[in-house]
Amino acid sequence: MELLFMDPVFKEAIWGGTKLRDVFDYEIPSDTTGECWAISGHANGMSRVAGGRFDGKTLGELWNEEPEIFGNYPGSQVPLLIKIIDAKNDLSIQVHPDDAYAGEHENGSLGKTECWYVLDCEPGTEIVIGHNAKDKAEVEKMIRNHEWSDFIRKVPVHKGDFFQINPGCVHAIKGGTLILETQQSSDITYRVYDYDRLQNGKPRQLHVEQSIDVIEAPFKTADIDTFTEEIPGAVHTHFVTCKFYSVDKYDIDGVFTLDAKKYYTNVSVIAGEGTVNGITVKKGTHFIIPANFNGCRFEGKLSVICSNPEA
């Protein structure tokens, strides 16, 4: 077993910018690049292994050909997708379906539970989390009547904040925000409202009926079990464990060894530089630790976010 370093895939977007280049030194396709699919086994943007015995293999190929790398995780597809999102401008007001709804209405796709770690944001930035409707009937009325200022629930956001976004939760990343996102491997998004923006001279597609179907009401803040502790070589912050993933941050100063997991671990270096098992890593490096991998040793001063799939 060896660590699997990943080549990311980039996605342009009407709301994207240049921070993926400016902050992470990636070669991006344009000045409107919105997403880095850093560790992805999704068909719409498949990561490839960079170096080592599996050099050039896609994550999807490895999933099918080398299941022991992933701890023989159940299921026919890579369960998690790791992104960095550069929102120069506001994303649409949107909502995601759960597994049951997506499976029935989106050709068997996974649903989309996701979470955000705020890497950076401009002063005074807000994001949309939830809505103000008291029940489903009011959700439908407010959407159909375009009562957006009353419907949308905004909250202030700061660097280092963490948010869990469950299916059925109305949400939107707003301009001036840089986020690392851990999510189910799904590309299903229902746009509720998009500020009447045009793309290529036409309004962007909305998904009003699907959104009304899946929005949960009244809004409830997602439960998270966050705590911080000092451990040998690092400060450990656990953000959340849900039915799909567990997400943790390690601020490393010196030498730190990450314990082996039953399933595989996604690792994103979000700050600093150092080495892992003697291999140089820096901000913007992403890799997979195989299941039951012993002796993943970090050295240096760096911060990493790790995610493990739950079964």
Side-chain angles (χ1 to χ4, degrees):
M1 289 291 184
E2 62 185 46
L3 301 177
L4 303 175
F5 290 85
M6 309 305 297
D7 273 335
V9 176
F10 298 97
K11 300 281 188 173
E12 295 172 276
I14 191 172
W15 41 262
T18 62
K19 286 185 179 177
L20 292 170
R21 179 180 64 215
D22 302 341
V23 175
F24 292 97
D25 202 30
Y26 295 134
E27 292 185 15
I28 59 176
S30 75
D31 288 351
T32 53
T33 301
E35 296 185 343
C36 164
W37 289 26
I39 302 176
S40 168
H42 196 282
N44 290 353
M46 191 82 70
S47 301
R48 291 184 181 272
V49 178
R53 60 187 285 229
F54 299 116
D55 183 47
K57 287 271 191 182
T58 69
L59 194 51
E61 288 172 332
L62 283 186
W63 181 264
N64 293 320
E65 297 170 7
E66 308 284 344
E68 68 280 0
I69 289 175
F70 308 95
N72 295 295
Y73 187 88
S76 61
Q77 56 189 303
V78 180
L80 300 182
L81 171 55
I82 311 302
K83 295 179 181 177
I84 300 176
I85 297 175
D86 170 21
K88 181 178 180 180
N89 298 299
D90 295 351
L91 274 70
S92 61
I93 308 299
Q94 56 191 242
V95 66
H96 302 308
D98 62 13
D99 283 349
Y101 190 94
E104 180 179 352
H105 298 278
E106 301 292 346
N107 299 314
S109 170
L110 295 176
K112 195 171 177 185
T113 300
E114 66 187 34
C115 61
W116 302 340
Y117 177 79
V118 180
L119 296 166
D120 205 358
C121 61
E122 295 175 4
T125 302
E126 296 179 314
I127 57 174
V128 173
I129 301 283
H131 61 80
N132 296 312
K134 66 180 183 294
D135 54 30
K136 287 286 286 189
E138 191 169 35
V139 165
E140 181 168 4
K141 178 187 80 71
M142 296 176 88
I143 289 175
R144 295 203 188 280
N145 293 338
H146 297 181
E147 299 172 26
W148 305 120
S149 60
D150 293 330
F151 179 64
I152 294 164
R153 178 180 179 269
K154 297 179 183 177
V155 298
V157 63
H158 307 92
K159 182 177 180 178
D161 284 351
F162 179 85
F163 300 91
Q164 171 79 356
I165 312 294
N166 290 331
C169 175
V170 175
H171 63 278
I173 302 169
K174 294 182 74 65
T177 313
L178 187 67
I179 278 176
L180 186 134
E181 179 174 286
T182 302
Q183 60 158 94
Q184 286 182 271
S185 185
S186 171
D187 201 20
I188 305 299
T189 293
Y190 296 147
R191 294 192 194 105
V192 186
Y193 175 58
D194 194 46
Y195 318 102
D196 302 316
R197 283 186 290 202
L198 300 180
Q199 187 169 28
N200 300 322
K202 299 178 181 179
R204 298 174 83 203
Q205 182 182 5
L206 300 179
H207 311 88
V208 172
E209 302 307 321
Q210 298 97 320
S211 298
I212 291 170
D213 278 350
V214 304
I215 290 172
E216 293 198 345
F219 165 70
K220 295 179 182 178
T221 303
D223 293 329
I224 58 174
D225 53 341
T226 300
F227 65 85
T228 298
E229 61 181 350
E230 292 190 12
I231 57 178
V235 175
H236 166 224
T237 301
H238 173 72
F239 290 123
V240 68
T241 298
C242 68
K243 66 184 290 187
F244 302 108
Y245 49 71
S246 182
V247 180
D248 298 86
K249 179 171 174 270
Y250 298 92
D251 295 303
I252 300 162
D253 190 359
V255 178
F256 169 68
T257 300
L258 191 62
D259 293 337
K261 304 294 184 182
K262 178 182 178 181
Y263 300 116
Y264 71 103
T265 301
N266 298 307
V267 181
S268 296
V269 182
I270 61 169
E273 58 185 19
T275 63
V276 56
N277 287 15
I279 301 168
T280 299
V281 296
K282 63 178 183 177
K283 178 171 61 177
T285 300
H286 306 271
F287 61 95
I288 290 174
I289 305 172
N292 302 309
F293 184 93
N294 289 314
C296 188
R297 178 185 171 94
F298 294 85
E299 296 188 49
K301 190 174 181 64
L302 64 164
S303 297
V304 301
I305 289 185
C306 302
S307 61
N308 302 97
E310 299 289 314

